[in-house]
Amino acid sequence: MYKEFYKPQNYVNRELSWIDFNGRVLGEATDTANPLLERANFLGITQSNVDEFFMVRVASLHKLAAANVTTTDASGLTPEEQLDAVNEKEHRMVKQRYEVYNQQIIPDLAKNNIHILHVPKLDEKQYEFIRRYFNDELMPVLTPMADDASRPFPFISNNSLNIAVQLRRQIHPTSKPVAEEILEGDQEVHRPQIEPHDDRQEADIKFATVRVPEIYKRLVRLPGENNFILIDEIITEFLTALFPGYEILATASYRVMRDMDLDVAEEDTSDLLRAVKRQLRKREHGRVMRLEVPASIDEWLKDQLIDNLHVSERSLYEVDGPVDLTFLKKLSGMVDGHDDLRYPPYKPYLNPALDMDHNIFSSIRQKDYLMQHPYDNFQAVVNFIHQAAIDPDVLAIKMTLYRVSGNSPIIKYLGMAAQQGKQVTVLVEVKARFDEQNNVRWAQRLEQMGCHVIYGLVGLKTHCKVALVIRRDEDGLRRYMHLGTGNYNDVTAHFYTDMGLFTCDHELGIDMTNLFNMLSGFARPAYFNELRVSPDGIRTFINAKIDEQIENAKNGNPALIRMKMNSLSDKQIIARLYAAAASGVKVELLIRGITCLRNDLPELHGNIEVHSIIGRFLEHSRIYYFKSNGHEEVYLASADMMTRNLNRRVEELYPVTQPDTKAHAIHIFDVMWKDNVKARRLVGDHYERIDRGDAAPFSSQEYFVKQAMKLNAREKKEKKAKKHFSSVFETLTRHVPNLHLDERKDE
């Protein structure tokens, strides 16, 4: 039933689908309904997105191709064919990105008196500024690196910005040079005049490279309001100071992206932390996946880079503008004024029951709380851990950490709890991609503070986001929990949309205890009551739920499957969704990124509709919702429907059962499904903007922001009224001493 859909033409290649997703992000950079500085930020995001894509996904394809792997993916492409297709498509995307930069972003910034200038456009004051900046700030730090017989081609580190230089020793004529006299103080200095190069006196052409120091901002502020220049242009202008006695023939900025995937063979090591540290050092020298150079680069320089960096023609990217557009992500923070060119600020809502003035455990004991960040303040989660750390009745805290901020308050409170004698167990996933170094540091810090740190299961990444607090209440021990769809990162929580549940549900608490016992010891629970855990558990559960809806539809009952996730790429899950649609089940999917499913197959009868929302916030929450015959089930999860999440990671999926929280979760999906501003609709194998027709524009993210603002306004009003009542009562009791509210009686 399902395998009949296992045909290559029924699937979109995962990597090509990802490039399409990045194209949707680029679409936000061109959308003039977005504030200008936010459009510039979106363009910068497309660059950082593709950088990570090449460092990991393209690197993986290179390894498979190098090993002569010829097996195909779900869409029928071999690794080598995927590499060709990816590079071909990304070359087109690069062209589009720089068209947006040159034809839209830069001109629109200029219209608003924000200028990213080039050296020839500088006035005298600005030129003098960059000359002094180079001499005083940059010159002492720069190190020219030569490539010759005694000095091999220098190592170019991943993602570093560099300047390639073609030079030649200055040739002096055999006759005595004509001297020019320069008066310096009281002394005449005779300097030889350099005559123009004589082609008959050829000198060897040399290659050198200069790394742009990362300790400085790429954008340098110039004199005048909101004028900037790129630091690599300043260095290029004064490069002769680094090569006295040489003539500079050509220069070009360039950047490489290397294979940065971490490959730790955990089965062969007894010390995961040491193995990760070793691999972090090793991966810095990974193979070059991509070389970026300006389109105007000198051919000799280009050949030198290609030969010495061992880059194939398809991995060479020539760009029509500055190499590396990620500097645009910093532009908004550097521009003075122009608030109208940014998203309007707003304050997320913090439920008073979850603030530090209330007993959060008492609040959770009364009812569950469903959070939606960033509209609900992530501070509630921080408060939960903070109160657990200082509450004398709390006995233990257990928590998983996948990604945290560089100055995480949660780490601080976990350490505080351990130092107060509480049992604190923290699973730190030291293999979290690109956060490995940060997480190794946090793991060591937590151990120093007295926490018991574990690193998860052999061969699996621990991606679940759960916190368990064991507290001695008046009637015995009780487990208080937070289960989330996103990381415990107080920084990204401001711009990632995620959901989390506070609960002290008894059966879920038992499941959480079993989960942590599984992560820290040799426990293998026979079953979980309410929690579903990958590997295997979530796939089995989702398969069963889809099969239930298929049976409902076959029995003539209306059946609905709704899923929200970041990516959908698992072949088996897609085939099951195809089978459900073919059986009459209505399938509605909200997918931000990779979508390997097609919805134009005739067998589906138009029963699968897919939307993708790209907007101010990065959609990161996962919702799985099944409805038939008036019966509704809602689940949240840390997992997407991707093979790696279902087979090779520890993930959690949990039910939302309390009537108000379940209704809230369904409402969240309903609101996002109505979006016709930031949502695109899948048409076959690509997404298109939704044609609103006569419908009023509706942005789900704007709606949630407004709801948070309304709740804040209501809370402020209630506090003001309460304060006023207290003030009036205090005045009355002061002037009428015998007045006591509990002594008043009805007349």
Side-chain angles (χ1 to χ4, degrees):
M1 178 179 176
Y2 312 117
K3 291 187 178 180
E4 66 188 58
F5 289 102
Y6 285 7
K7 301 172 185 175
Q9 62 267 30
N10 294 346
Y11 295 86
V12 176
N13 174 260
R14 167 185 165 150
E15 320 308 340
L16 298 180
S17 177
W18 183 92
I19 295 175
D20 286 338
F21 152 69
N22 209 32
R24 296 197 291 279
V25 179
L26 182 62
E28 292 302 300
T30 65
D31 187 351
T32 54
N34 290 326
L36 176 57
L37 290 174
E38 307 296 348
R39 289 168 52 203
N41 181 52
F42 276 116
L43 184 55
I45 289 171
T46 65
Q47 180 73 66
S48 56
N49 281 351
V50 83
D51 291 348
E52 182 174 333
F53 176 67
F54 269 77
M55 286 187 281
V56 179
R57 295 302 308 170
V58 175
S60 177
L61 289 175
H62 269 284
K63 289 174 184 173
L64 293 173
N68 296 316
V69 174
T70 56
T71 53
T72 60
D73 73 326
S75 68
L77 297 178
T78 66
E80 188 66 32
E81 289 169 338
Q82 291 182 67
L83 278 174
D84 287 337
V86 162
N87 279 288
E88 180 184 351
K89 192 164 191 170
E90 179 54 24
H91 276 288
R92 295 197 300 269
M93 288 297 301
V94 166
K95 187 170 184 273
Q96 291 178 31
R97 278 202 293 278
Y98 280 87
E99 285 175 353
V100 172
Y101 177 81
N102 292 313
Q103 299 173 20
Q104 297 183 43
I105 300 299
I106 292 299
D108 288 353
L109 287 171
K111 290 175 186 175
N112 288 275
N113 293 316
I114 302 169
H115 303 279
I116 299 175
L117 299 172
H118 302 290
V119 171
K121 295 292 184 181
L122 302 183
D123 60 29
E124 290 184 13
K125 184 178 180 181
Q126 291 168 336
Y127 191 84
E128 176 63 15
F129 172 85
I130 67 166
R131 187 188 68 80
R132 289 182 177 275
Y133 185 77
F134 178 85
N135 288 332
D136 298 343
E137 286 284 336
L138 301 178
M139 176 69 175
V141 207
L142 297 173
T143 303
M145 306 287 287
D147 175 27
D148 58 21
S150 63
R151 291 163 294 195
F153 190 88
F155 174 73
I156 308 301
S157 62
N158 178 66
N159 200 20
S160 62
L161 186 63
N162 303 271
I163 301 171
V165 188
Q166 182 191 32
L167 20 70
R168 174 175 54 196
R169 183 180 292 279
Q170 292 172 336
I171 304 300
H172 303 307
T174 54
S175 59
K176 188 176 179 179
V178 178
E180 63 171 339
E181 296 183 353
I182 303 174
L183 192 65
E184 293 189 358
D186 297 329
Q187 193 174 15
E188 286 186 352
V189 179
H190 296 272
R191 293 180 181 168
Q193 289 182 335
I194 306 301
E195 293 187 349
H197 173 66
D198 188 341
D199 288 334
R200 290 170 298 180
Q201 299 172 348
E202 285 296 332
D204 289 339
I205 294 176
K206 304 293 184 183
F207 175 90
T209 186
V210 178
R211 179 169 175 171
V212 177
E214 296 174 6
I215 56 174
Y216 296 103
K217 293 179 180 178
R218 178 92 185 273
L219 280 171
V220 177
R221 181 182 292 277
L222 293 167
E225 186 179 358
N226 290 326
N227 291 322
F228 306 93
I229 190 171
L230 294 174
I231 192 172
D232 36 311
E233 290 202 29
I234 297 177
I235 296 171
T236 301
E237 177 67 10
F238 300 105
L239 267 179
T240 51
L242 296 175
F243 301 100
Y246 280 82
E247 176 188 2
I248 293 178
L249 304 177
T251 63
S253 297
Y254 69 99
R255 185 176 70 131
V256 298
M257 308 309 301
R258 294 185 176 272
D259 177 354
M260 296 295 284
D261 202 14
L262 199 69
D263 186 17
V264 179
E266 296 169 70
E267 305 82 16
D268 302 328
T269 179
S270 59
D271 191 335
L272 179 59
L273 202 60
R274 187 180 298 124
V276 169
K277 287 181 180 179
R278 186 167 58 248
Q279 283 294 321
L280 284 172
R281 290 191 295 270
K282 183 179 177 182
R283 80 172 181 185
E284 292 298 324
H285 291 75
R287 178 180 173 182
V288 174
M289 298 292 106
R290 172 190 181 105
L291 168 63
E292 283 183 25
V293 298
S296 58
I297 188 173
D298 175 85
E299 286 296 319
W300 185 89
L301 275 181
K302 181 167 71 174
D303 290 342
Q304 289 293 308
L305 292 173
I306 290 174
D307 291 345
N308 285 286
L309 293 170
H310 310 293
V311 179
S312 63
E313 194 67 30
R314 69 185 175 192
S315 300
L316 174 70
Y317 285 79
E318 299 185 36
V319 301
D320 184 19
V323 168
D324 184 9
L325 294 177
T326 56
F327 68 88
L328 291 170
K329 295 164 65 176
K330 305 292 184 181
L331 181 61
S332 179
M334 296 184 69
V335 169
D336 291 332
H338 290 291
D339 289 343
D340 58 315
L341 302 183
R342 301 179 179 89
Y343 287 127
Y346 83 101
K347 182 180 178 183
Y349 173 67
L350 179 60
N351 191 318
L354 303 174
D355 66 23
M356 288 301 291
D357 293 331
H358 292 77
N359 186 316
I360 294 176
F361 302 109
S362 176
S363 299
I364 297 173
R365 184 167 178 172
Q366 294 174 28
K367 65 185 293 292
D368 293 352
Y369 290 86
L370 181 66
M371 312 289 290
Q372 188 193 19
H373 312 299
Y375 317 107
D376 290 318
N377 201 325
F378 186 76
Q379 188 61 39
V381 180
V382 176
N383 292 345
F384 177 66
I385 304 301
H386 189 180
Q387 282 203 10
I390 61 177
D391 188 332
D393 294 324
V394 167
L395 306 178
I397 304 172
K398 301 183 181 185
M399 194 169 188
T400 61
L401 295 178
Y402 191 75
R403 299 187 198 276
V404 293
S405 66
N407 189 26
S408 172
I410 286 178
I411 296 285
K412 171 186 169 184
Y413 296 134
L414 290 172
M416 181 189 298
Q419 289 164 358
Q420 293 190 10
K422 294 173 170 56
Q423 292 289 319
V424 179
T425 303
V426 187
L427 187 146
V428 180
E429 181 48 79
V430 292
K431 304 185 299 298
R433 186 171 291 138
F434 300 123
D435 269 347
E436 298 97 342
Q437 201 157 358
N438 190 44
N439 285 7
V440 166
R441 179 170 60 88
W442 281 130
Q444 293 172 328
R445 173 81 181 277
L446 285 165
E447 286 181 336
Q448 290 167 2
M449 292 189 293
C451 300
H452 177 55
V453 180
I454 52 179
Y455 306 111
L457 303 176
V458 172
L460 300 172
K461 279 188 181 180
T462 303
H463 191 249
C464 56
K465 295 89 169 55
V466 290
L468 171 65
V469 174
I470 296 91
R471 185 175 189 266
R472 187 181 298 282
D473 289 352
E474 292 180 358
D475 54 351
L477 293 185
R478 183 170 272 99
R479 301 173 180 91
Y480 294 88
M481 293 155 280
H482 176 267
L483 302 94
T485 66
N487 299 308
Y488 289 109
N489 188 318
D490 56 294
V491 174
T492 58
H494 287 98
F495 50 90
Y496 279 36
T497 74
D498 269 305
M499 298 170 71
L501 182 71
F502 286 113
T503 183
C504 60
D505 179 85
H506 178 69
E507 289 193 341
L508 199 53
I510 294 173
D511 289 345
M512 286 275 279
T513 296
N514 288 335
L515 172 62
F516 276 102
N517 288 344
M518 181 183 79
L519 293 173
S520 62
F522 293 107
R524 290 294 180 269
Y527 66 93
F528 288 95
N529 297 302
E530 296 185 5
L531 198 64
R532 298 293 177 266
V533 177
S534 280
D536 301 328
I538 295 178
R539 178 189 294 281
T540 301
F541 181 76
I542 292 294
N543 283 347
K545 288 300 170 186
I546 295 174
D547 290 347
E548 282 180 16
Q549 297 304 81
I550 291 173
E551 285 303 310
N552 287 330
K554 285 182 175 179
N555 291 331
N557 299 313
L560 173 66
I561 296 173
R562 300 176 109 184
M563 296 182 176
K564 179 183 185 293
M565 66 195 88
N566 297 323
S567 297
L568 172 62
S569 63
D570 185 80
K571 182 178 180 178
Q572 296 176 25
I573 295 292
I574 291 173
R576 251 185 170 81
L577 290 174
Y578 283 155
S583 301
V585 179
K586 183 69 176 174
V587 180
E588 296 176 347
L589 305 174
L590 282 164
I591 306 173
R592 185 194 79 228
I594 296 166
T595 314
C596 296
L597 169 148
R598 307 179 58 108
N599 66 346
D600 60 347
L601 309 182
E603 307 97 299
L604 307 183
H605 310 299
N607 281 329
I608 297 182
E609 187 170 357
V610 188
H611 293 184
S612 177
I613 296 175
I614 307 291
R616 174 177 183 175
F617 307 113
L618 184 140
E619 290 293 340
H620 194 252
S621 54
R622 289 93 168 186
I623 305 172
Y624 300 100
Y625 169 42
F626 306 92
K627 179 181 179 181
S628 183
N629 296 325
H631 180 65
E632 297 174 298
E633 295 180 30
V634 178
Y635 303 88
L636 306 181
S638 62
D640 294 316
M641 294 296 103
M642 303 179 75
T643 305
R644 71 181 188 195
N645 298 85
L646 301 175
N647 291 4
R648 301 190 298 275
R649 289 187 174 186
V650 180
E651 307 268 13
E652 99 274 8
L653 177 145
Y654 52 96
V656 181
T657 57
Q658 190 174 274
D660 63 333
T661 53
K662 181 195 283 191
H664 185 34
I666 294 170
H667 173 69
I668 288 171
F669 195 106
D670 287 340
V671 168
M672 288 188 286
W673 195 251
K674 286 170 53 181
D675 195 309
N676 57 19
V677 172
K678 294 302 178 185
R680 281 85 162 168
R681 178 182 287 122
L682 183 68
V683 180
D685 62 351
H686 67 282
Y687 284 90
E688 296 179 359
R689 292 272 188 181
I690 290 178
D691 182 5
R692 290 196 295 268
D694 297 330
F698 179 80
S699 167
S700 58
Q701 293 188 353
E702 284 186 15
Y703 169 85
F704 290 127
V705 165
K706 289 176 181 175
Q707 290 300 109
M709 294 171 68
K710 285 180 181 177
L711 288 170
N712 280 325
R714 187 181 74 185
E715 189 63 34
K716 185 177 179 180
K717 186 177 180 181
E718 289 177 357
K719 283 184 178 179
K720 186 176 179 181
K722 187 176 180 181
K723 185 177 180 181
H724 176 71
F725 176 79
S726 299
S727 176
V728 170
F729 180 67
E730 183 181 347
T731 302
L732 284 172
T733 53
R734 188 166 60 245
H735 289 89
V736 188
N738 293 326
L739 177 63
H740 298 285
L741 289 182
D742 59 350
E743 292 179 358
R744 288 183 295 175
K745 298 178 181 178
D746 292 334
E747 293 292 337

